Amino acid sequence: MKYFAALSPMKDEQKSAEYRAEHLEFLKAQAQAGRVLMNGRFTDGAGGLVIYQADSLEEVQGIVKEDPYVVNGARDVEIHEWDMQTTYTFEK
């Protein structure tokens, strides 16, 4: 399994607001299917980031093409394979 970072810069704020619920339902379904590791918006309004789990870039490209944000022109998308090395746990 490989990881892919999908950056989704804001293209149209009005469309983004209009299709937000559909986009979140889409991501929820992808997470339930084991294809989304994590996701979130950038707090400055610039867009968001989704970390996908898949076997190939082509698989992720196919998934992202179905995202309501992409389908409806609310966001652009840029996908990069991500070589996640490790996760850290810090004690307080």
Side-chain angles (χ1 to χ4, degrees), residues 2-3 11 28 36-37 43 74 79 87:
K2 298 177 181 178
Y3 298 98
K11 189 172 177 182
K28 181 178 178 182
V36 169
L37 179 65
T43 60
I79 305 168
T87 57

Side-chain angles (χ1 to χ4, degrees), residues 19-32 36 39 66-68:
Y19 294 104
R20 180 171 173 74
E22 290 177 45
H23 165 72
L24 293 175
E25 283 299 315
F26 171 81
L27 291 180
K28 181 178 178 182
Q30 297 305 315
Q32 290 171 338
V36 169
N39 64 279
E66 302 296 320
D67 186 327

